[in-house]
Amino acid sequence: MKIVVIDGNCIAHKCRFTNSVLFKGAETGVVHQLLETALNLGTVFKTRNVVFVFDSKHSLRKRKCPWYKQRRDKRKKELGQSEKKALLSVYRQIDESRRLLVDMGFSVFLQNGKEGDDLIASIVNNNVQARIVICSSDHDIYQVLNKNTEIVDPDSRKIGKSFTWRKFFHKYGIMPSQWSEYKTINGCKSDEV
């Protein structure tokens, strides 16, 4: 069995920097991009088992480590009015997308306090016999790479070009299971740790 797992927040935030798609005057670019990604990946990897994961609005990581992504939160507060409006639109569309995707029959995973990469790890760990294709640009996901799991970049020009555990090992010289230790020692710019 093949399962495609799409990091919904990753795709949604990509839309913030692209042209809007409007339907009856409302911005629908996030919904459009999520569905297009699901269609493309389902076609490329020949499966109808496409699931979406989304970040919770509240983060257990921030509760445990208040400095986690602190600069990112500060930058959000410093955004100009048009940038704040675009970001609010993305969040509104994420909420709407989750409901629409469920109505369309997709599996949508969201758990209070958890981020999408936490949910992706759970899916991988609970489906050890399945071939899993993860669509995300979050490097935290690297640690779940194994012989049955691969990652594709959400950039549509790169879909089909998978990052496997072998490519990871060739690039970093460590096993994916060692990725969290690597990041603990080296820090993580994107997570501000």
Side-chain angles (χ1 to χ4, degrees):
M1 173 171 75
K2 290 180 196 169
I3 303 170
V4 171
V5 183
I6 298 173
D7 183 341
N9 285 76
C10 174
I11 302 297
H13 284 284
K14 230 181 80 165
C15 295
R16 182 173 150 209
F17 304 105
T18 60
N19 292 335
S20 295
V21 175
L22 298 175
F23 178 74
K24 295 184 179 179
E27 291 183 0
T28 58
V30 170
V31 177
H32 176 266
Q33 191 63 48
L34 287 167
L35 291 173
E36 184 175 289
T37 302
L39 178 64
N40 287 343
L41 289 171
T43 301
V44 168
F45 292 99
K46 296 176 179 56
T47 185
R48 290 180 177 215
N49 295 318
V50 178
V51 301
F52 293 87
V53 298
F54 290 91
D55 294 347
S56 169
K57 290 180 182 177
H58 307 286
S59 170
L60 291 175
R61 293 179 194 179
K62 281 187 182 182
R63 200 173 300 152
K64 289 181 180 181
C65 303
W67 61 89
Y68 177 71
K69 296 184 181 178
Q70 193 171 22
R71 284 188 299 228
R72 191 180 295 184
D73 292 338
K74 184 180 177 197
R75 283 192 304 268
K76 282 181 189 176
K77 291 176 184 172
E78 295 170 350
L79 292 174
Q81 288 297 59
S82 64
E83 292 169 312
K84 283 181 182 176
K85 184 179 175 185
L87 189 57
L88 287 174
S89 175
V90 167
Y91 290 137
R92 180 192 56 76
Q93 290 181 73
I94 288 172
D95 290 341
E96 191 176 303
S97 294
R98 288 195 314 257
R99 288 189 296 274
L100 288 169
L101 291 166
V102 168
D103 290 346
M104 295 174 79
F106 288 100
S107 295
V108 174
F109 295 94
L110 172 73
Q111 186 177 350
N112 192 31
K114 301 286 184 174
E115 292 188 15
D117 56 344
D118 300 317
L119 301 175
I120 291 169
S122 292
I123 292 169
V124 170
N125 292 333
N126 290 315
N127 294 280
V128 293
Q129 299 301 319
R131 177 175 174 215
I132 300 179
V133 178
I134 301 164
C135 180
S136 179
S137 60
D138 187 341
H139 293 185
D140 291 342
I141 299 299
Y142 288 172
Q143 60 194 310
V144 301
L145 283 169
N146 61 44
K147 64 181 174 66
N148 293 328
T149 304
E150 58 195 284
I151 300 171
V152 294
D153 192 290
D155 184 335
S156 61
R157 293 168 295 179
K158 297 178 184 174
I159 285 185
K161 296 177 182 169
S162 299
F163 192 62
T164 63
W165 76 268
R166 289 182 195 277
K167 290 179 182 176
F168 174 89
F169 182 79
H170 180 73
K171 182 173 182 175
Y172 295 102
I174 59 173
M175 295 302 292
S177 60
Q178 297 172 296
W179 187 240
S180 62
E181 292 172 53
Y182 175 88
K183 290 185 85 171
T184 300
I185 293 167
N186 291 305
C188 177
K189 251 184 165 176
S190 66
D191 290 338
E192 301 169 19
V193 178

